[in-house]
Each structure stands twice: as structure tokens, then as C-alpha cells.
Amino acid sequence: MALHQEVTYTIEDIYALPDGQRAELIDGRIYDMAPPNTRHQMLVSELNITIGNYIRSHGGNCRIFPAPFAVFLNEDNRNYVEPDISVICNKDKLNDKGCNGAPDWIIEIVSPSTEHIDYGVKLFKYRSAGVREYWIVNPKTRTVNVFDFEYDQASTQYCFDDEIPVCIYEGLNICISALL
């Protein structure tokens, strides 16, 4: 009896998708992405503005990119993600196609179709790729899980009403409720 062999996809398969179809590639497996809802986009927009304003007002050299923005996590052709927000402090990682290597800070806004991926697959992948800080913002539960991978701290869960400290930017605290 023949064994079932799983297909391994590459970045070329992602670029061959029909126009308008978005997907991510993690360890050779394709994860389709549903269109975001209004609340999701509002959170991405407000977080992008808040973080960008902080970086500029403090003379920072990090860059912030909202989705869709290509992140090639590893130096292989089997990993391609589009985090909702990517903060990159090493400009050498940036080129015309996106970011090559791990961003310093990634924020994912949970949607029903991505919940298991954000809390499981991506959590492991981002940590092992070298992301310094990872936030999972969950509008349904009104919680934010913060993972400080740089200092290997345990995750901390906050509610939307809390002033959430940003690990990579001392002095930056974000209250999600104030953004909505």
C-alpha cells in the first residue's frame, strides 16, 4: 500500500495564486486568508498610526508596515507571511519585495478563520524565526497576548482597557480601547 505524501508548497506557488487571492506559506503549507472585516482594519489602522507616531516623535529608525506586506521569515522558499503589522528596525532586511528575516515586532489581529494559526502555528514560527515581540490582539475576547521573546518572558495577557507596555520600546504603552 502506498503512503500518502503531503505536498510541499513554495513561495512560487504563492505568487502563482490568482489575483486577489491572499495566502500565507508556513513550512511549505498554504494557509488561505479571508478578507478582513471593518473592526480588524480599524485596529490595524489605529495601531499603525499610534506606533508610527511614537517612532517618529522619538527619532526612531524602525519602520512599520501594515498588511499586506511580505515577510520571508527564513532563508528558504517555504515561508511567507503577511502579518497585520510588522515593525522592522534593521533596514538591511528590507528590499522591494518586503522583509527578509524576522521583524522585530509583529502584531496579528485574530479573526475566526485565523485563531488557531495565530495562537499556535505562528506563535511557534515567529519565536523560532527570531521575532523579538509578538502581540495577538483578539477583538472577540477583548484581550491582547504579549510575548516578549527577546527576554524569554512568559506571555502576559491584557484586556483592551489596560495600558499595554511595548517590550521593544520602553515608554510606549498602548490602550486598545482608546483606539476604537
Side-chain angles (χ1 to χ4, degrees), residues 82-119:
E82 292 183 4
D84 290 313
I85 293 181
S86 301
V87 177
I88 297 119
C89 299
N90 180 350
K91 291 181 181 149
D92 292 338
K93 291 182 179 182
L94 298 172
N95 66 20
D96 287 342
K97 289 189 174 192
C99 176
N100 293 296
D104 294 271
W105 181 16
I106 288 178
I107 299 174
E108 294 284 9
I109 313 297
V110 174
S111 62
S113 65
T114 65
E115 190 166 357
H116 70 285
I117 298 166
D118 294 335
Y119 284 102

Side-chain angles (χ1 to χ4, degrees), residues 159-171:
C159 72
F160 274 23
D161 295 326
D162 292 332
E163 289 286 331
I164 305 168
V166 175
C167 304
I168 69 166
Y169 289 119
E170 188 175 327

Side-chain angles (χ1 to χ4, degrees), residues 41-81:
Q41 288 302 93
M42 189 166 49
L43 281 165
V44 169
S45 178
E46 292 300 324
L47 284 164
N48 186 60
I49 291 167
T50 300
I51 297 164
N53 286 343
Y54 180 86
I55 292 169
R56 275 187 295 286
S57 70
H58 287 80
N61 58 0
C62 299
R63 304 292 301 196
I64 181 169
F65 298 93
F69 179 73
V71 174
F72 305 92
L73 281 174
N74 304 93
E75 295 194 26
D76 62 26
N77 66 348
R78 300 178 331 114
N79 289 280
Y80 167 96
V81 292

Side-chain angles (χ1 to χ4, degrees), residues 21-43:
Q21 183 178 347
R22 289 182 52 214
E24 294 179 305
L25 179 70
I26 301 173
D27 294 329
R29 181 172 177 199
I30 291 181
Y31 295 88
D32 289 320
M33 298 171 67
N37 64 30
T38 302
R39 185 175 183 89
H40 181 281
Q41 288 302 93
M42 189 166 49
L43 281 165

Side-chain angles (χ1 to χ4, degrees), residues 122-135:
K122 285 185 177 179
L123 173 63
F124 173 78
K125 194 64 185 175
Y126 291 160
R127 180 182 192 124
S128 63
V131 171
R132 293 168 54 199
E133 183 170 356
Y134 176 41
W135 284 25

